[in-house]
Amino acid sequence: MPFMKGPAPIRRTLKYLESGKLFFKKSVKIFSINYNTSGNHHEGARDFVFWYLPQIQYKNPNVQVITFKNMTPTPFIHCYFDNGEKMLIDIFKKKKEEILDHVIKVVGKSEHTLNLEVRMKEKKDNPANFGYYCDRHCICEIPGQLTCPGIKPLPEEMRGKFIYAKE
């Protein structure tokens, strides 16, 4: 398989890309990272780009992700928001996990927000869902279904006690 060649080919598998934890807030439009390809204090930034940038790009298709190499004396991340604001995140001498945790905490969606989005997506996927926290409270609200027996009684030929009583 040609995609399994090169350094750490696991990064190109769908399972690895889907396991990313960073979902940007909707206001983030551009995410840029500046680092050098040499130097000990840039090692965490290099590892972050190598291991986590593909997941970030996969999980956030509407965010432009840019890397700038060998243009800065210290590594940093720059986030641009839709209202014109900018945020600068210093990643000097930090490990890749520390960088990821800090970025999730600062510009990522919270766990509560992600759970709500999953639940909302789940509800909207199937229009036949009904009950509490759904668009319809009862199946009788769907066109073509019988009305609730509490509002209008079912015809006698559809009720068991009348069918079995005739026999």
Side-chain angles (χ1 to χ4, degrees), residues 30-90:
I30 302 172
F31 176 82
S32 71
I33 182 165
N34 296 271
Y35 66 100
N36 289 341
T37 54
S38 62
N40 290 338
H41 53 277
H42 292 268
E43 187 176 355
R46 284 193 302 270
D47 290 342
F48 178 81
V49 168
F50 186 80
W51 289 107
Y52 296 127
L53 208 64
Q55 292 176 339
I56 292 170
Q57 289 177 315
Y58 182 80
K59 291 288 188 175
N60 302 287
N62 296 328
V63 177
Q64 181 180 359
V65 179
I66 307 168
T67 58
F68 294 107
K69 297 180 189 174
N70 300 323
M71 296 177 66
T72 179
T74 60
F76 63 91
I77 293 173
H78 222 132
C79 294
Y80 298 88
F81 298 95
D82 56 359
N83 59 3
E85 291 183 16
K86 301 175 190 176
M87 179 183 288
L88 185 66
I89 302 171
D90 183 28

Side-chain angles (χ1 to χ4, degrees), residues 154-160 162-163 166:
L154 289 172
E156 291 182 356
E157 62 269 5
M158 296 181 81
R159 296 174 66 189
F162 291 102
I163 292 173
K166 292 179 183 178

